[in-house]
Amino acid sequence: MPKVLFLTTSHSYNDDRIFYHQAKALRDNEYEVKICSLYADYSGSIDGIDIESYAVLEESIEKKMETFRKVCHTFQPQCIICSEPLAVVAVRKFVKQHKAACIYDVTEWYPSMSMLQKYRFPVKIFQAVKFTFIQLYAGFLSTRFIFGETTKKFPLAYFFGFKKQMVLPYYPDAVYISGSVRKLESDTITLCYTGQISKDKGIDNFFKAVDRLRQKVTSLHIRILIIGSAVQESDELFFSGLLKEYSFDDIEIRKPAAFEQFAEAFSDADICFDLREINFENSHSLPIKLFYFMGSGKPVIYSNLKGIRKHMGKLSFGSLVDPHDVDGISDVIINYINNPELYHSHALKAREEFKEKYNWEMIKYSFVDFVKKSIDK
């Protein structure tokens, strides 16, 4: 039975992409699978997948690398799938000595804006260059690449174009999503924001658009549903200020839901939003939540991101907007209210496209085959 080891520093051992999709797909195809994360302590087996996880995220780089090395030497995998450069570098000797496959699964920008946030100019430039070289070094050491989206292929796919690679989008397994298509009422609407609560992710843009909507349609009962939390203390303070400033009458704030309950958590929403700021990093991203909204039959209003346009083109079940255009965004919502048949058609179209093109069942076998070929080589 072939052995596959997942290594990740910043993702939890039960991360939706790693555990619920990739690891389970390999398990179902008779691979022995282990996940090692540095995010939290856990040791045991869940759904036939071995977990050996340690809470050493705040430890030294050497401590992190040594943790990965020990797990690697104990498990003796034929294939290692790494989510970050540190993991790739940590297992380089094992990969060389045992001729194992090392697949770098690129799902995040490296360096990300959050990584550079704590540095001041000109140190920030130096750190950006340093992290970029680390990324390229990880690309050099890897034997293959998986890219979560086409827009994240740069720079590795261009520097190492001779290495085997595939694009594996963040499509959800339908087993975790049940359709919750709603009938839009004329006098009330539920608008939903999910995920990290921060200015960068557009919480203030969302509030501004809702505020303009209530100014335009004073008779409309607007229910706001927020599912998520702030990560940084500064984000928490920023959010508290927004709540005081806008004083919405009907707002519910729920803690982030466990993965298996995520779709259920926003089932009572009419429209789902993501009005994140359009910068280089955000614009080249393909937000994972979009596919969960689709699968649930939710019309969406999203920032006009290049990552979405390049992967999906024009949305048939929602709108891509300027996140600062509060008049335009509020008009999209009003158009749904005035044309409930349009709303219903978008909701059905979202479910239809999810079932036909954007679900895990459509791509999981190509992933399993990619891993198999990396071992067979």
Side-chain angles (χ1 to χ4, degrees), residues 321-343:
V321 300
D322 176 350
H324 299 289
D325 181 12
V326 293
D327 278 310
I329 296 168
S330 59
D331 285 343
V332 171
I333 303 170
I334 293 170
N335 191 34
Y336 278 137
I337 296 170
N338 293 336
N339 299 279
E341 68 283 354
L342 174 65
Y343 174 86

Tab-separated table of all heavy atoms in Angstrom, residues 321-343:
chain	number	residue	atom	x	y	z
A	321	VAL	N	-18.242	43.229	-8.826
A	321	VAL	CA	-18.424	44.669	-8.663
A	321	VAL	C	-17.157	45.339	-8.148
A	321	VAL	O	-16.238	44.693	-7.653
A	321	VAL	CB	-19.573	44.946	-7.664
A	321	VAL	CG1	-20.881	44.345	-8.157
A	321	VAL	CG2	-19.224	44.404	-6.275
A	322	ASP	N	-17.149	46.651	-8.275
A	322	ASP	CA	-16.171	47.479	-7.578
A	322	ASP	C	-16.603	47.508	-6.113
A	322	ASP	O	-17.702	47.974	-5.805
A	322	ASP	CB	-16.181	48.884	-8.181
A	322	ASP	CG	-15.259	49.856	-7.441
A	322	ASP	OD1	-14.743	49.511	-6.349
A	322	ASP	OD2	-15.079	50.982	-7.947
A	323	PRO	N	-15.784	47.014	-5.181
A	323	PRO	CA	-16.221	46.923	-3.784
A	323	PRO	C	-16.518	48.267	-3.133
A	323	PRO	O	-17.163	48.314	-2.084
A	323	PRO	CB	-15.045	46.214	-3.100
A	323	PRO	CG	-13.869	46.487	-3.980
A	323	PRO	CD	-14.411	46.515	-5.372
A	324	HIS	N	-16.059	49.364	-3.759
A	324	HIS	CA	-16.310	50.695	-3.214
A	324	HIS	C	-17.545	51.370	-3.833
A	324	HIS	O	-17.939	52.447	-3.391
A	324	HIS	CB	-15.084	51.586	-3.415
A	324	HIS	CG	-13.848	51.078	-2.735
A	324	HIS	ND1	-13.695	51.098	-1.368
A	324	HIS	CD2	-12.723	50.524	-3.240
A	324	HIS	CE1	-12.514	50.586	-1.053
A	324	HIS	NE2	-11.908	50.224	-2.164
A	325	ASP	N	-18.113	50.736	-4.844
A	325	ASP	CA	-19.271	51.317	-5.530
A	325	ASP	C	-20.554	50.943	-4.780
A	325	ASP	O	-21.304	50.050	-5.177
A	325	ASP	CB	-19.320	50.808	-6.969
A	325	ASP	CG	-20.483	51.398	-7.763
A	325	ASP	OD1	-21.118	52.367	-7.279
A	325	ASP	OD2	-20.776	50.867	-8.856
A	326	VAL	N	-20.801	51.635	-3.681
A	326	VAL	CA	-21.938	51.278	-2.830
A	326	VAL	C	-23.275	51.477	-3.542
A	326	VAL	O	-24.237	50.737	-3.295
A	326	VAL	CB	-21.911	52.067	-1.502
A	326	VAL	CG1	-20.729	51.647	-0.664
A	326	VAL	CG2	-21.899	53.571	-1.755
A	327	ASP	N	-23.353	52.470	-4.421
A	327	ASP	CA	-24.590	52.686	-5.174
A	327	ASP	C	-24.845	51.519	-6.118
A	327	ASP	O	-25.972	51.011	-6.215
A	327	ASP	CB	-24.517	53.995	-5.966
A	327	ASP	CG	-24.838	55.206	-5.102
A	327	ASP	OD1	-25.871	55.168	-4.409
A	327	ASP	OD2	-24.057	56.170	-5.102
A	328	GLY	N	-23.797	51.105	-6.830
A	328	GLY	CA	-23.942	49.991	-7.757
A	328	GLY	C	-24.297	48.695	-7.044
A	328	GLY	O	-25.152	47.923	-7.513
A	329	ILE	N	-23.659	48.441	-5.912
A	329	ILE	CA	-23.920	47.211	-5.152
A	329	ILE	C	-25.353	47.202	-4.620
A	329	ILE	O	-26.075	46.202	-4.723
A	329	ILE	CB	-22.914	47.065	-3.996
A	329	ILE	CG1	-21.500	46.899	-4.554
A	329	ILE	CG2	-23.274	45.880	-3.097
A	329	ILE	CD1	-20.406	47.038	-3.518
A	330	SER	N	-25.775	48.339	-4.051
A	330	SER	CA	-27.138	48.411	-3.522
A	330	SER	C	-28.165	48.266	-4.636
A	330	SER	O	-29.234	47.669	-4.435
A	330	SER	CB	-27.348	49.725	-2.763
A	330	SER	OG	-27.115	50.845	-3.602
A	331	ASP	N	-27.845	48.759	-5.825
A	331	ASP	CA	-28.768	48.624	-6.957
A	331	ASP	C	-28.914	47.163	-7.395
A	331	ASP	O	-30.001	46.751	-7.826
A	331	ASP	CB	-28.290	49.471	-8.139
A	331	ASP	CG	-28.547	50.960	-7.933
A	331	ASP	OD1	-29.358	51.303	-7.049
A	331	ASP	OD2	-27.930	51.773	-8.650
A	332	VAL	N	-27.828	46.390	-7.288
A	332	VAL	CA	-27.896	44.961	-7.620
A	332	VAL	C	-28.876	44.261	-6.679
A	332	VAL	O	-29.702	43.442	-7.100
A	332	VAL	CB	-26.510	44.303	-7.523
A	332	VAL	CG1	-26.626	42.785	-7.658
A	332	VAL	CG2	-25.571	44.841	-8.598
A	333	ILE	N	-28.801	44.605	-5.392
A	333	ILE	CA	-29.701	43.999	-4.399
A	333	ILE	C	-31.148	44.410	-4.662
A	333	ILE	O	-32.066	43.584	-4.629
A	333	ILE	CB	-29.279	44.404	-2.975
A	333	ILE	CG1	-27.824	43.998	-2.708
A	333	ILE	CG2	-30.201	43.751	-1.941
A	333	ILE	CD1	-27.251	44.581	-1.426
A	334	ILE	N	-31.351	45.685	-4.938
A	334	ILE	CA	-32.705	46.193	-5.224
A	334	ILE	C	-33.283	45.525	-6.460
A	334	ILE	O	-34.481	45.198	-6.519
A	334	ILE	CB	-32.677	47.727	-5.378
A	334	ILE	CG1	-32.328	48.390	-4.046
A	334	ILE	CG2	-34.013	48.243	-5.905
A	334	ILE	CD1	-32.052	49.880	-4.145
A	335	ASN	N	-32.422	45.279	-7.446
A	335	ASN	CA	-32.884	44.607	-8.670
A	335	ASN	C	-33.385	43.202	-8.371
A	335	ASN	O	-34.383	42.741	-8.957
A	335	ASN	CB	-31.743	44.555	-9.691
A	335	ASN	CG	-32.220	44.125	-11.066
A	335	ASN	OD1	-33.334	44.435	-11.486
A	335	ASN	ND2	-31.368	43.395	-11.778
A	336	TYR	N	-32.727	42.515	-7.453
A	336	TYR	CA	-33.199	41.184	-7.034
A	336	TYR	C	-34.567	41.296	-6.350
A	336	TYR	O	-35.468	40.487	-6.595
A	336	TYR	CB	-32.210	40.540	-6.071
A	336	TYR	CG	-31.033	39.854	-6.720
A	336	TYR	CD1	-29.736	40.009	-6.203
A	336	TYR	CD2	-31.189	39.023	-7.825
A	336	TYR	CE1	-28.648	39.363	-6.777
A	336	TYR	CE2	-30.106	38.385	-8.415
A	336	TYR	CZ	-28.845	38.559	-7.886
A	336	TYR	OH	-27.773	37.918	-8.466
A	337	ILE	N	-34.697	42.298	-5.478
A	337	ILE	CA	-35.955	42.473	-4.743
A	337	ILE	C	-37.106	42.776	-5.696
A	337	ILE	O	-38.219	42.247	-5.550
A	337	ILE	CB	-35.810	43.601	-3.700
A	337	ILE	CG1	-34.768	43.211	-2.638
A	337	ILE	CG2	-37.155	43.904	-3.041
A	337	ILE	CD1	-34.380	44.342	-1.722
A	338	ASN	N	-36.820	43.607	-6.685
A	338	ASN	CA	-37.865	43.980	-7.652
A	338	ASN	C	-38.129	42.886	-8.685
A	338	ASN	O	-39.170	42.902	-9.351
A	338	ASN	CB	-37.478	45.272	-8.372
A	338	ASN	CG	-37.476	46.474	-7.441
A	338	ASN	OD1	-38.164	46.469	-6.410
A	338	ASN	ND2	-36.718	47.503	-7.788
A	339	ASN	N	-37.171	41.967	-8.840
A	339	ASN	CA	-37.304	40.894	-9.831
A	339	ASN	C	-36.996	39.542	-9.179
A	339	ASN	O	-35.934	38.953	-9.400
A	339	ASN	CB	-36.340	41.128	-11.003
A	339	ASN	CG	-36.613	42.416	-11.743
A	339	ASN	OD1	-37.496	42.482	-12.586
A	339	ASN	ND2	-35.844	43.447	-11.418
A	340	PRO	N	-37.915	39.044	-8.356
A	340	PRO	CA	-37.677	37.780	-7.644
A	340	PRO	C	-37.428	36.602	-8.578
A	340	PRO	O	-36.736	35.654	-8.203
A	340	PRO	CB	-38.960	37.582	-6.822
A	340	PRO	CG	-39.984	38.458	-7.453
A	340	PRO	CD	-39.231	39.623	-8.021
A	341	GLU	N	-37.946	36.687	-9.816
A	341	GLU	CA	-37.692	35.604	-10.772
A	341	GLU	C	-36.223	35.589	-11.197
A	341	GLU	O	-35.654	34.524	-11.455
A	341	GLU	CB	-38.615	35.731	-12.004
A	341	GLU	CG	-38.362	36.917	-12.908
A	341	GLU	CD	-38.903	38.241	-12.371
A	341	GLU	OE1	-39.586	38.234	-11.330
A	341	GLU	OE2	-38.637	39.278	-13.007
A	342	LEU	N	-35.597	36.772	-11.262
A	342	LEU	CA	-34.161	36.842	-11.559
A	342	LEU	C	-33.358	36.228	-10.420
A	342	LEU	O	-32.416	35.460	-10.654
A	342	LEU	CB	-33.737	38.303	-11.771
A	342	LEU	CG	-32.224	38.540	-11.942
A	342	LEU	CD1	-31.732	37.874	-13.228
A	342	LEU	CD2	-31.905	40.039	-11.952
A	343	TYR	N	-33.752	36.573	-9.201
A	343	TYR	CA	-33.085	35.989	-8.037
A	343	TYR	C	-33.173	34.464	-8.069
A	343	TYR	O	-32.167	33.764	-7.880
A	343	TYR	CB	-33.715	36.510	-6.741
A	343	TYR	CG	-33.170	35.828	-5.502
A	343	TYR	CD1	-32.012	36.290	-4.883
A	343	TYR	CD2	-33.796	34.693	-4.978
A	343	TYR	CE1	-31.495	35.644	-3.765
A	343	TYR	CE2	-33.286	34.036	-3.865
A	343	TYR	CZ	-32.135	34.517	-3.263
A	343	TYR	OH	-31.611	33.863	-2.176
